[in-house]
Amino acid sequence: MKKIIFTFVFCLLMQGIVSAEITMKLVPAEQKGQKIVTQEGSEAIISHKGKSSVALRPPPDGYTPDGRPMILVSVYGTNQQYDFSAEEIKVFVDGNPHQVLTYDGYVKEIKQRQEIEVKALETKYDAMSNNIAQNSYKPSSSLESHNPSSSKNTVGSMSSGGYEYDISSLGRDQNQINAEMQAQKDTIEKRTAQELAVADSIMLKKTTVLPDTWYRGYFAIENIPDPAQTHKVKIIVTVAGEKHEFMFNHLKAHE
């Protein structure tokens, strides 16, 4: 399951021109009432307050400057149930409000990418169909079936001013590219369904959390401006009316 999750994260979040030389990371800066612990090879930071606890864990392997940092948030509340979603998370980069990509945003993005890919595929195969049709329009002398004295008559061809379509060849070629296009559409649809399924299973969604219960899910910070430079990232998570403030240093992974 972990492999599927990080494959999904890589495909969906690490978009753009991938840099093999630079990897960025979010390093938690411990504040009063907080503790940094190691979880699955990554430093997570935990904040405890009177009624609630929150833990944030940034990507264990960092991310490319043109990618989106994906963070695991875990929340815990006592006494009473409460609603929790990405709306309870606020992000600031160098003091400026910054967008959080939500589950709904992921779903919209995945479906939009599918539409773009299918449209590009159809455009490509439309051009191939036109090319096949043009190549099937040949001089009559090149096709035996055009000869009026031939016992084959003109079955398999269609004449027009000294030229004719080789309908038999045209049909075979068209059937072949139709099959190829459908196979690629099926691949896109299957991959999209997998991405949606993984997003549904791991992404943070609006949930009613019961008392004395942990709830966790992933959210992502939208692309950070001037991403190869250092930044201060503040994340505020509100749980059961209590605000937990976290600070992270956005650095190059080798620093």
Side-chain angles (χ1 to χ4, degrees), residues 153-169:
N153 295 318
T154 58
V155 176
S157 64
M158 186 169 59
S159 300
S160 177
Y163 285 79
E164 64 183 51
Y165 280 109
D166 186 348
I167 296 176
S168 178
S169 174

PDB file of all heavy atoms in Angstrom, residues 153-169:
ATOM      1  N   ASN A 153     -15.024  -6.334 -61.473  1.00  0.00           N
ATOM      2  CA  ASN A 153     -15.750  -5.069 -61.503  1.00  0.00           C
ATOM      3  C   ASN A 153     -15.034  -4.044 -60.620  1.00  0.00           C
ATOM      4  O   ASN A 153     -13.813  -3.945 -60.656  1.00  0.00           O
ATOM      5  CB  ASN A 153     -17.203  -5.251 -61.087  1.00  0.00           C
ATOM      6  CG  ASN A 153     -17.945  -6.127 -62.089  1.00  0.00           C
ATOM      7  OD1 ASN A 153     -17.765  -5.971 -63.298  1.00  0.00           O
ATOM      8  ND2 ASN A 153     -18.734  -7.047 -61.591  1.00  0.00           N
ATOM      9  N   THR A 154     -15.785  -3.308 -59.775  1.00  0.00           N
ATOM     10  CA  THR A 154     -15.153  -2.262 -58.970  1.00  0.00           C
ATOM     11  C   THR A 154     -15.391  -2.475 -57.478  1.00  0.00           C
ATOM     12  O   THR A 154     -15.388  -1.544 -56.694  1.00  0.00           O
ATOM     13  CB  THR A 154     -15.704  -0.874 -59.360  1.00  0.00           C
ATOM     14  OG1 THR A 154     -17.105  -0.888 -59.177  1.00  0.00           O
ATOM     15  CG2 THR A 154     -15.348  -0.518 -60.772  1.00  0.00           C
ATOM     16  N   VAL A 155     -15.650  -3.719 -57.097  1.00  0.00           N
ATOM     17  CA  VAL A 155     -15.842  -4.004 -55.686  1.00  0.00           C
ATOM     18  C   VAL A 155     -14.530  -3.743 -54.934  1.00  0.00           C
ATOM     19  O   VAL A 155     -13.469  -4.195 -55.347  1.00  0.00           O
ATOM     20  CB  VAL A 155     -16.275  -5.471 -55.484  1.00  0.00           C
ATOM     21  CG1 VAL A 155     -16.367  -5.781 -53.992  1.00  0.00           C
ATOM     22  CG2 VAL A 155     -17.595  -5.719 -56.170  1.00  0.00           C
ATOM     23  N   GLY A 156     -14.608  -2.991 -53.837  1.00  0.00           N
ATOM     24  CA  GLY A 156     -13.408  -2.670 -53.061  1.00  0.00           C
ATOM     25  C   GLY A 156     -12.794  -1.366 -53.472  1.00  0.00           C
ATOM     26  O   GLY A 156     -11.732  -1.011 -52.988  1.00  0.00           O
ATOM     27  N   SER A 157     -13.417  -0.597 -54.364  1.00  0.00           N
ATOM     28  CA  SER A 157     -12.863   0.687 -54.758  1.00  0.00           C
ATOM     29  C   SER A 157     -13.992   1.623 -55.139  1.00  0.00           C
ATOM     30  O   SER A 157     -15.117   1.200 -55.392  1.00  0.00           O
ATOM     31  CB  SER A 157     -11.896   0.512 -55.935  1.00  0.00           C
ATOM     32  OG  SER A 157     -12.583   0.029 -57.066  1.00  0.00           O
ATOM     33  N   MET A 158     -13.700   2.909 -55.207  1.00  0.00           N
ATOM     34  CA  MET A 158     -14.691   3.902 -55.562  1.00  0.00           C
ATOM     35  C   MET A 158     -14.024   4.945 -56.452  1.00  0.00           C
ATOM     36  O   MET A 158     -13.104   5.652 -56.013  1.00  0.00           O
ATOM     37  CB  MET A 158     -15.274   4.558 -54.306  1.00  0.00           C
ATOM     38  CG  MET A 158     -16.416   5.516 -54.588  1.00  0.00           C
ATOM     39  SD  MET A 158     -17.255   6.001 -53.052  1.00  0.00           S
ATOM     40  CE  MET A 158     -15.908   6.745 -52.150  1.00  0.00           C
ATOM     41  N   SER A 159     -14.433   5.053 -57.710  1.00  0.00           N
ATOM     42  CA  SER A 159     -13.773   5.890 -58.703  1.00  0.00           C
ATOM     43  C   SER A 159     -14.221   7.331 -58.608  1.00  0.00           C
ATOM     44  O   SER A 159     -15.338   7.626 -58.219  1.00  0.00           O
ATOM     45  CB  SER A 159     -14.065   5.366 -60.117  1.00  0.00           C
ATOM     46  OG  SER A 159     -13.592   4.050 -60.233  1.00  0.00           O
ATOM     47  N   SER A 160     -13.306   8.263 -59.018  1.00  0.00           N
ATOM     48  CA  SER A 160     -13.630   9.676 -59.085  1.00  0.00           C
ATOM     49  C   SER A 160     -12.590  10.383 -59.927  1.00  0.00           C
ATOM     50  O   SER A 160     -11.504  10.701 -59.442  1.00  0.00           O
ATOM     51  CB  SER A 160     -13.661  10.285 -57.671  1.00  0.00           C
ATOM     52  OG  SER A 160     -13.898  11.666 -57.741  1.00  0.00           O
ATOM     53  N   GLY A 161     -12.917  10.597 -61.232  1.00  0.00           N
ATOM     54  CA  GLY A 161     -12.050  11.377 -62.115  1.00  0.00           C
ATOM     55  C   GLY A 161     -10.663  10.823 -62.272  1.00  0.00           C
ATOM     56  O   GLY A 161      -9.690  11.571 -62.189  1.00  0.00           O
ATOM     57  N   GLY A 162     -10.508   9.535 -62.488  1.00  0.00           N
ATOM     58  CA  GLY A 162      -9.186   8.954 -62.674  1.00  0.00           C
ATOM     59  C   GLY A 162      -8.534   8.510 -61.377  1.00  0.00           C
ATOM     60  O   GLY A 162      -7.455   7.936 -61.397  1.00  0.00           O
ATOM     61  N   TYR A 163      -9.158   8.796 -60.234  1.00  0.00           N
ATOM     62  CA  TYR A 163      -8.671   8.347 -58.928  1.00  0.00           C
ATOM     63  C   TYR A 163      -9.785   7.573 -58.234  1.00  0.00           C
ATOM     64  O   TYR A 163     -10.963   7.748 -58.533  1.00  0.00           O
ATOM     65  CB  TYR A 163      -8.263   9.538 -58.046  1.00  0.00           C
ATOM     66  CG  TYR A 163      -6.955  10.172 -58.456  1.00  0.00           C
ATOM     67  CD1 TYR A 163      -6.900  11.046 -59.530  1.00  0.00           C
ATOM     68  CD2 TYR A 163      -5.785   9.879 -57.765  1.00  0.00           C
ATOM     69  CE1 TYR A 163      -5.696  11.625 -59.914  1.00  0.00           C
ATOM     70  CE2 TYR A 163      -4.578  10.455 -58.129  1.00  0.00           C
ATOM     71  CZ  TYR A 163      -4.536  11.331 -59.209  1.00  0.00           C
ATOM     72  OH  TYR A 163      -3.355  11.898 -59.573  1.00  0.00           O
ATOM     73  N   GLU A 164      -9.394   6.749 -57.306  1.00  0.00           N
ATOM     74  CA  GLU A 164     -10.387   5.998 -56.551  1.00  0.00           C
ATOM     75  C   GLU A 164      -9.844   5.607 -55.185  1.00  0.00           C
ATOM     76  O   GLU A 164      -8.625   5.548 -54.971  1.00  0.00           O
ATOM     77  CB  GLU A 164     -10.830   4.761 -57.319  1.00  0.00           C
ATOM     78  CG  GLU A 164      -9.728   3.737 -57.563  1.00  0.00           C
ATOM     79  CD  GLU A 164     -10.241   2.574 -58.400  1.00  0.00           C
ATOM     80  OE1 GLU A 164     -10.838   2.818 -59.456  1.00  0.00           O
ATOM     81  OE2 GLU A 164     -10.033   1.451 -57.951  1.00  0.00           O
ATOM     82  N   TYR A 165     -10.789   5.420 -54.248  1.00  0.00           N
ATOM     83  CA  TYR A 165     -10.421   4.969 -52.908  1.00  0.00           C
ATOM     84  C   TYR A 165     -10.308   3.454 -52.895  1.00  0.00           C
ATOM     85  O   TYR A 165     -11.172   2.757 -53.413  1.00  0.00           O
ATOM     86  CB  TYR A 165     -11.485   5.375 -51.885  1.00  0.00           C
ATOM     87  CG  TYR A 165     -11.379   6.814 -51.442  1.00  0.00           C
ATOM     88  CD1 TYR A 165     -12.322   7.744 -51.848  1.00  0.00           C
ATOM     89  CD2 TYR A 165     -10.335   7.218 -50.616  1.00  0.00           C
ATOM     90  CE1 TYR A 165     -12.230   9.071 -51.434  1.00  0.00           C
ATOM     91  CE2 TYR A 165     -10.238   8.538 -50.193  1.00  0.00           C
ATOM     92  CZ  TYR A 165     -11.179   9.458 -50.608  1.00  0.00           C
ATOM     93  OH  TYR A 165     -11.088  10.758 -50.206  1.00  0.00           O
ATOM     94  N   ASP A 166      -9.236   2.973 -52.294  1.00  0.00           N
ATOM     95  CA  ASP A 166      -9.089   1.547 -52.032  1.00  0.00           C
ATOM     96  C   ASP A 166      -9.812   1.265 -50.713  1.00  0.00           C
ATOM     97  O   ASP A 166      -9.228   1.318 -49.634  1.00  0.00           O
ATOM     98  CB  ASP A 166      -7.609   1.186 -51.931  1.00  0.00           C
ATOM     99  CG  ASP A 166      -7.390  -0.311 -51.800  1.00  0.00           C
ATOM    100  OD1 ASP A 166      -8.372  -1.036 -51.563  1.00  0.00           O
ATOM    101  OD2 ASP A 166      -6.237  -0.751 -51.926  1.00  0.00           O
ATOM    102  N   ILE A 167     -11.121   1.012 -50.815  1.00  0.00           N
ATOM    103  CA  ILE A 167     -11.970   0.919 -49.627  1.00  0.00           C
ATOM    104  C   ILE A 167     -11.557  -0.234 -48.716  1.00  0.00           C
ATOM    105  O   ILE A 167     -11.597  -0.121 -47.485  1.00  0.00           O
ATOM    106  CB  ILE A 167     -13.450   0.768 -50.037  1.00  0.00           C
ATOM    107  CG1 ILE A 167     -13.905   2.036 -50.780  1.00  0.00           C
ATOM    108  CG2 ILE A 167     -14.327   0.530 -48.814  1.00  0.00           C
ATOM    109  CD1 ILE A 167     -15.312   1.939 -51.309  1.00  0.00           C
ATOM    110  N   SER A 168     -11.152  -1.336 -49.296  1.00  0.00           N
ATOM    111  CA  SER A 168     -10.758  -2.494 -48.498  1.00  0.00           C
ATOM    112  C   SER A 168      -9.563  -2.167 -47.614  1.00  0.00           C
ATOM    113  O   SER A 168      -9.559  -2.439 -46.412  1.00  0.00           O
ATOM    114  CB  SER A 168     -10.436  -3.675 -49.413  1.00  0.00           C
ATOM    115  OG  SER A 168     -10.013  -4.789 -48.651  1.00  0.00           O
ATOM    116  N   SER A 169      -8.536  -1.536 -48.225  1.00  0.00           N
ATOM    117  CA  SER A 169      -7.351  -1.162 -47.459  1.00  0.00           C
ATOM    118  C   SER A 169      -7.677  -0.083 -46.436  1.00  0.00           C
ATOM    119  O   SER A 169      -7.205  -0.132 -45.292  1.00  0.00           O
ATOM    120  CB  SER A 169      -6.265  -0.661 -48.422  1.00  0.00           C
ATOM    121  OG  SER A 169      -5.150  -0.166 -47.706  1.00  0.00           O
TER     122      SER A 169
END
